Amino acid sequence: MSAVTVLIAVTQYSCNKKLDLKPLDQLSDASYWQTPNDFMLAANQFYTYQRTFTDVQQDNPHSDGRSDFGGINAFSRGVNTVPTTDGIWNNNYSNNGSLPTGAWSRIRVINYLLAKAAAYSSPADIKKYVAEAKFFRAYIYFDLLQLYGAVPLVTKPLGTSSAELLAPRASRDSIADFIIADLNAAIPDLPLESANAATDKGRVTKGSAQAFLSRVALYEGTWQKFRSGSTARYNALLDLAIASSNAVITSNEYALFAPAALGDSAQKYMFILENQKSNPAGIQKSANKEYIQANRYDQAIRQIRFNVSHTGFPGFSRRGANLYLCNDGLPIEKSPLFQGYASMVAEFANRDNRMRYTMKKAGGYYWSGNNNWHINWDWSAPDLANADASPWKPYANSTSGYGGQKFVSERQVPDNEEGEDYPVIRYAEILLNYAEAVFERNGAITDADLDKSLNPVRNRVNKTMPKLSNAFVSTNGLDMRREIRRERTIELVGEGFRTDDLKRWHNAFGGPDFGADSEDPLIGSNVMLQTVLGIKWMGTEFQTAWPSQSATPKYSSGNPFLDGTLVLDAARSFSEKNYLLPIPTTQLQLNPNLTQNPGW
Amino acid sequence: MSNFQRKLVAICSFLLFCVAIISNKSLAQGTRTVSGTIVNSQTGEPVSGATVSANNSKRGTSTDEKGHFKLTVNQGGALLISSVGYDQQEIMPGADGIVTIKLVSNNQQLSDVVVVGYGTRKKATLTGAIATIDSKIFQDRGPTANPLAALQGQVPGVVVTRSAAAPGREGWNFQIRGATSTNGSDPLVIVDGIPLVSLNALNSINPNDIDNMSFLKDASAAIYGARAAGGVVLITTKKAKTGKPTVQYDGSVSFKKIGLQPHLINVKQFGQGLVDGTTNDYYGVAPTSFIWYKFGQLQLNAPDSGYLDMNVTYNMDWATGKLTYVGTPTTPSSNPANPGFGDVKDFTFFNTNWVDALWGSTTSTQHNISLSSRTDKAGYRLSLGYMDDGSLLQWGDNSNKRYNMRLSNDYSFSDKFKLETIISLEKNDIVQPTQAGAVLGQYQQPGLPIATKLGQPYGWGTQYSPNWLAALGGDQNEYNTRIFANMRATYSFTKHLRLIGQGGYNWNITDIKTQQKTINNWYNYAGYQKGSPDNPSQQNSFYSRQLIKDPYYNLNAYLEYQNTFKGVHDLGITVGTNYERDELNSYTARTNYIANDNVPSLNLGIGDATTKSVTESQSHYAIGSYFGRLNYAYNNKYLFEANARYDGSSKFAAADRWKLFYGFSAGWRIMQEKFMKEVTFLDDLKLRASFGTVGNQSGINLYDYLQLLNVSSNTTGATNNGFPIIGTGTVVYAAPTANLVSLNRTWEKVQTKNLGLDFTVLKNHLSGSFDYFIKDNINMLLGQQFPAVLGATAPSLNLGHLRTHGWEALLSWRDNIGKFNYHISATITDNNNKLISYSANNVIGAGYNAAVQGYPVGSYFGLQYAGRIQDQKTRDAYRLLAPGNNISMPLTTATLPGVRMGDNMFVDQNKDGKLTTPADLVYLGRDDPRYTYAANLGAEWKGFDFSATFQGVGKRTIFREGNWRVPFGSIFQGQTDFWVGKTWTPNNTGAYYPVLSVGQNGTSYNNYNYQVSSWSVENGAYIRLKNLVLGYTIPQQIMQKVKIQKLRIYFSGNDLWEVTHIRDGWDPEATRSVGRANNESTFSRYPFYRYITFGVNVTF
């Protein structure tokens, strides 16, 4: 009998070998994770997770369209409801299941690489890709933190019986700490931008991680500060924000894009910089040292495939437009240079140059697309003749009377084929992060720190505008916090910061009282409850040029900078619960330990 | 071996030249007289009218009423005895010239030996639920594309359904004893001991080569272990029979015409429907400026010529429909008589019936010839088969041709060693129009002509005549080649112990060449102007080539021990091992933008790189097994059998690869008991019982235990933004697939229990059997939703328990009245199933549900119909159920009426004051048929034979998906006329269908009225005359003169008649998805057909 047993054992062993079949036309764990290149290819996918134009120009969570600036949708109104599923929390995939688009499926793919890396024989060879994985894990968790607040913490690839499936949310602090820890772990193993090989251009660098850390620390630090968090906690976070933004600044790896040839239009042309001639000076992408991390496009090899030039970024509103300083450095309420609203172009006079290069001015010439391109870049007659719907009529195709030109390519390029890069992180933000973090940490900021951070941003295209300084603030009765926030809002408008800034400042609804008018878009306390307003119509040129708006309600509150404007939306009911998105209901059913966000 | 090889070479050369056998032996001289009696081998009763002939002379005679005969024969000649209903026999009379011949009834032929897994068993001592059929079932059927076609209703417990009828794409499916799993559990089909890799291979086997089939329905299948859950079918092909060399020819020609098809509405019905329906949709006010109302008016008031050229002006009063010819040239889009179709050049109003235009009759033929011979040591049989299945589609190339060659050969080297080989070549060529989808989609709207006045392709805006797309759009040619080589060696150590080794190799190749041609001449009806843009344009022309290679081999060996001890203990033991492996391999290359349609080649694509693609797929699997069986019988009275299989599959990781499956069965032959000797009316009685466990691995993918990774690279250029730029180029990336590795799931385990009774009574005239079974799939793989933090798509898990139980009965009566022999048999099968538990989700949706706890798999849920709104009081009360509904029920608002008189009403089951799903859904029935039955009648008289098969389904619920079941479900397309004249109007309140709506003006009345409900589901019960045969065998006395042993001619008909309750016009056997456009089962639209066959059987 034992002979039979032995016989069966032997044949079964040999049979087992005959039954060990591995996939023939597809990679699997059996054949992968064996060289650094394998890890690099796996890390490459993470670059599809970066934000891009659709995130800020369509109705997506970080878009300015969900802020007070012209956003008229369920989210900006605060009337969104609890969904059964949503595209971020749920496991969604595109490209026939090969590309994760939901946050948790992205986290799984990242965790998968990290788990495989932990078992890799020579970790030193793949540390760069491990660092990239950690950067992107932090990137995704930060998105979850901003949108949902505290979420469950998943740090390894799960199976169907993993306990984490039924885990409650981790604390908000532990999620923030986890993000910070991932970034801190990534920083030492990432190369400096200048040390990044030409073939690696576009990969995450040390600067990317440090810059992102400053964004995270400032976000969480101010979130806690304006919600009565622990002082020690938020001061530590603000210190981290200062240290990490300072590290980026002192690395001297980056610079604001300000070629003399482009003068005061440098910032505008940075956003549409392509390797084809895309600006009057023919400057190319290689001249741009400002983008710390970019989602890179190119007409010849990777088109944006989104009608970025004709979508434009979501609405401008009166309240947003009023934030641009006059070129004496003073707000319109205080500046003698402000020309009022009588003509359609009056408000553009004597303002921060970014106003006329970001918004569109009545009677101006703007180019876009395949038919209305900037032919000679010299504003000569053929150029002007080829401009789009020229001269521009604000009332032609607009509800607010305002238009924007950020990211609108001026060269001849068919729709969807534009190739400008999307700035995932740019240096100007880091400078502004530094200024704000220093101020919020210390309640004050020195002129030296302002000159190191905020003033270069402001003066890039406003060479003659006075610098922001403590003296200037006190002389003119300004508020330093308000001015720092103003600079950030103006510089980063349309790039997906406004909504998130209002949330962390806690001034979308019921925020801290800084003694300002609660309608104040910068330090007011109920910003998202305010009516969305368009151009001033009553008693202005618009009244005759745009008679169809006569039936539109007009604003009236006794504020001369707002009265008589078009009321675009008065149905605003943003409340405390709207600071976070609700968790999709099916997820609460599937995991009874998962709690809904407060108020939902 | 060399002897054998010589033999093989000899036979092969014989094959190659295909020379008819001429038996030309030297004859012994002199004659003598032989006399004898012919009796039925079982009953001992004399057989009258049997034909007796000598094989070496032209003489012949037949037996008298007592079975006696006398015949003068040449010396040394053998006698050939044949009689309808019995197997032919050949014997050599002894020296005394007196013989007694026992003829074996071919109905009883299988009662002797039944093929079971790895061996044969005597039918009398079978203990499992095993049904058998013989070759007769495939006779007289005309061209049979798939043997399953002949099995409908014939085998108790086996339900055969069909889903498509296109040549070469006939969709035949079968289930043994109902559903076993929602993941599917196709029966395992084994041909001469070697499993078929895919049931598709049944399409190329020649049914004429099948000798018999066994269906293992219960634990007797456990010897096939992990793949036996759906039952096992054993096909044994024909071998040479004892006797002199014979040549047999069977040929037939069949006329095929389309069967049941929906009737389409004509121009006037279309126009009236549009006018009435749009008026209803605009709440009673004729929308005289609405395009579809105008279009309806135009159809209703069409000129007699059937043609309006929009290049000349007409005036049209849309309210009255008055059309006046003006004649001034104009542009078509601004013609006052154009309802608003900007892209058309004209309007046509021809009563083209697209069913008639596209489909018609055809002819199919088949020829089979076989040559066989057997000597003491060797036997061979060669058969050649040809089938040409014609197409009902009258446009384009469409056909299915099958070529079969099968050689089976056996040779005994000695008493101990025997070698059998079977080599089969099957070729199956299928041609269909590349744009068959255009023909099988919804038909064009009424009015469009088949061709322009000048006979050109007609194009109306973006509507292209389907017939021309089929005729001119290119062909898809599929060439299937299957080669089976099967060798089996038997070595007998002793009388009791044998070793059997078998090796089988299946080589399948499918080569698919698909060409889509440019069609650039689409004209208006008058033929002088392009009616539509090119379609397909040259850019969209393509040629693709797919090559699929699927080699499979199977090696098995087993020891067989058989002995009887002390005369009463019968013992049989079989133990063996099996290894099989399949390697699937395919690539597809395709190029668009062909330079010249006349030369389709991958070399002649003239587009850029993005117009060309190559893909490859490869996979393999292997199964290793040990199996065994033990039989014990005491005194042929108490029977016991145990079988088991230990299977290892490459689909699992090594740790959980192996699993044991087993079955036990027992039988009690009650008639063998002494106390039964007194019971005279009973001839035989046997009680059987079995239980066992079989496996199902159909829910498991090939490499589930390994995490797979996708490697993605940009192949489509700059227009694909999915690939980030790193450095100066876009990157390739790799990532684990969305599907989670599933280590903690295993094969579905199906426990089967069976209780059976076999009986023969009334002097063997009446026999029957009855079986009751229960199948429990105790760990069925079902999906489960996990929290999203899992981050991946979870595999289905062993969560469900499906219980299937049912019964099957077979009753057969056979008798004769003088020379009139007749038999009647009937089978009926039922099974019911219920998903007993599903530990995860239990979500019910309206319509078809694959798995809901407490209900059968494939259940329909819908609303309960509550009658029609006939009075205002009812209507007003019913309208209150609308607020908050999610069933498309129109709301009553300040401006909208909500539901109207003549609309359907549904029941608010939970009485919550609003109609919602799933809360108000009720169970409506299941899609799988129940009570499938068949009755066979047969008779023979003086050379005439007659048989008829009625087949049907007792209960089935169908809810047709897609928009064919809804009037104007797709307003701009052709549709069926089931509703014409039968919709509710104030003057026709008893109408079957609700108020006509065409779904315009934002109304949802059609969605509401025609949603799945107890009113809208169809009753799928039917009875159909499946087969009718009338044959005549020319008396042998006549045929002997032309050296023909037997000549029979016959007429047969398939699917000639039926009773059905289906209202939408489709065949009762059509699937639920037949009405759904552009889905995977598009071919289900191909009309079922009726067959009339004339055939001949000749034996030389």
Side-chain angles (χ1 to χ4, degrees), chain B residues 355-423:
Chain B
V355 171
D356 294 345
L358 292 169
W359 310 102
S361 302
T362 186
T363 309
S364 298
T365 54
Q366 66 167 354
H367 303 282
N368 291 294
I369 187 159
S370 68
L371 312 119
S372 73
S373 175
R374 174 164 294 289
T375 64
D376 291 346
K377 297 190 103 179
Y380 74 84
R381 178 178 185 275
L382 167 72
S383 75
L384 301 166
Y386 169 72
M387 182 189 84
D388 181 359
D389 195 7
S391 164
L392 299 175
L393 180 62
Q394 304 294 299
W395 296 83
D397 301 323
N398 189 206
S399 69
N400 178 26
K401 290 196 171 76
R402 190 174 65 202
Y403 308 86
N404 290 84
M405 187 187 87
R406 177 174 287 265
L407 171 68
S408 57
N409 180 84
D410 60 84
Y411 186 74
S412 298
F413 289 80
S414 70
D415 290 347
K416 290 190 181 302
F417 185 57
K418 183 181 177 189
L419 191 64
E420 296 160 85
T421 53
I422 300 171
I423 296 166

Side-chain angles (χ1 to χ4, degrees), chain B residues 40-86:
Chain B
N40 181 314
S41 68
Q42 275 208 308
T43 62
E45 286 173 353
V47 178
S48 62
T51 307
V52 182
S53 60
N55 71 345
N56 59 358
S57 77
K58 291 172 186 170
R59 299 182 194 96
T61 183
S62 59
T63 54
D64 62 15
E65 283 181 7
K66 290 178 180 169
H68 296 319
F69 74 95
K70 191 177 271 186
L71 183 68
T72 305
V73 300
N74 291 333
Q75 284 289 352
L79 288 182
L80 202 63
I81 299 98
S82 60
S83 181
V84 174
Y86 293 91

Side-chain angles (χ1 to χ4, degrees), chain A residues 8 11-12 15-30 32-33 38 40-45 47-48 50 89-91 93 95-100 104-106 108-109 112 152 154 158-161 164-166 198-203 295-306 586-587 590-591, chain B residues 553 578-584 616-626 646 648-654 657-658 702-703 705-712 714 717-741 744 785-795 797:
Chain A
I8 288 183
T11 57
Q12 183 169 325
C15 208
N16 243 335
K17 284 176 80 176
K18 292 251 176 211
L19 294 176
D20 263 329
L21 304 181
K22 305 288 184 255
L24 297 171
D25 61 356
Q26 204 172 359
L27 293 179
S28 72
D29 276 1
Y32 205 75
W33 311 110
D38 289 350
M40 183 182 79
L41 294 192
N44 283 348
Q45 196 199 49
Y47 291 86
T48 66
Q50 299 183 109
W89 192 284
N90 285 93
N91 285 318
Y93 289 83
N95 289 2
N96 300 323
S98 65
L99 194 61
W104 294 112
S105 39
R106 288 174 169 177
R108 171 174 179 266
V109 172
Y112 206 86
V154 176
L158 304 183
T160 51
S161 48
E164 287 89 336
L165 294 180
L166 295 177
T199 51
D200 283 344
K201 188 93 175 129
R203 301 196 86 87
N295 202 343
R296 308 167 83 214
Y297 293 92
D298 185 278
Q299 188 185 10
I301 56 174
R302 186 192 183 213
Q303 298 162 0
I304 292 172
R305 301 315 301 169
F306 167 68
T586 51
Q587 297 298 316
L590 290 167
N591 176 7
Chain B
Y553 69 86
N578 184 86
Y579 179 76
E580 60 199 280
R581 182 162 164 144
D582 179 69
E583 312 248 354
L584 181 72
E616 185 194 38
S617 88
Q618 288 192 63
S619 62
H620 52 4
Y621 66 83
I623 301 172
S625 320
Y626 304 93
Y646 189 49
S649 163
S650 64
K651 292 183 176 184
F652 295 98
R657 181 168 289 159
W658 292 86
L702 293 180
Y703 310 103
Y705 67 95
L706 271 176
Q707 177 66 57
L708 300 175
L709 294 110
N710 284 329
V711 174
S712 308
N714 189 353
T719 57
N720 185 343
N721 69 350
F723 296 87
I725 300 174
I726 303 285
T728 53
T730 56
V731 289
V732 172
Y733 59 74
T737 60
N739 297 317
L740 205 63
V741 168
N744 53 349
Q785 216 184 336
F786 286 93
V789 294
L790 179 62
T793 307
L797 296 174

Side-chain angles (χ1 to χ4, degrees), chain B residues 869 875 878-883 885-892 898-899 904 906 915 1004 1007-1008 1011:
Chain B
I869 303 174
R875 183 194 67 190
Y878 183 68
R879 280 178 176 174
L880 300 175
L881 296 174
N885 84 83
N886 64 356
I887 60 154
S888 303
M889 182 173 172
L891 292 168
T892 305
V899 290
N904 286 347
F906 302 108
L915 285 167
S1004 60
N1007 294 340
Y1008 165 76
Q1011 68 188 295

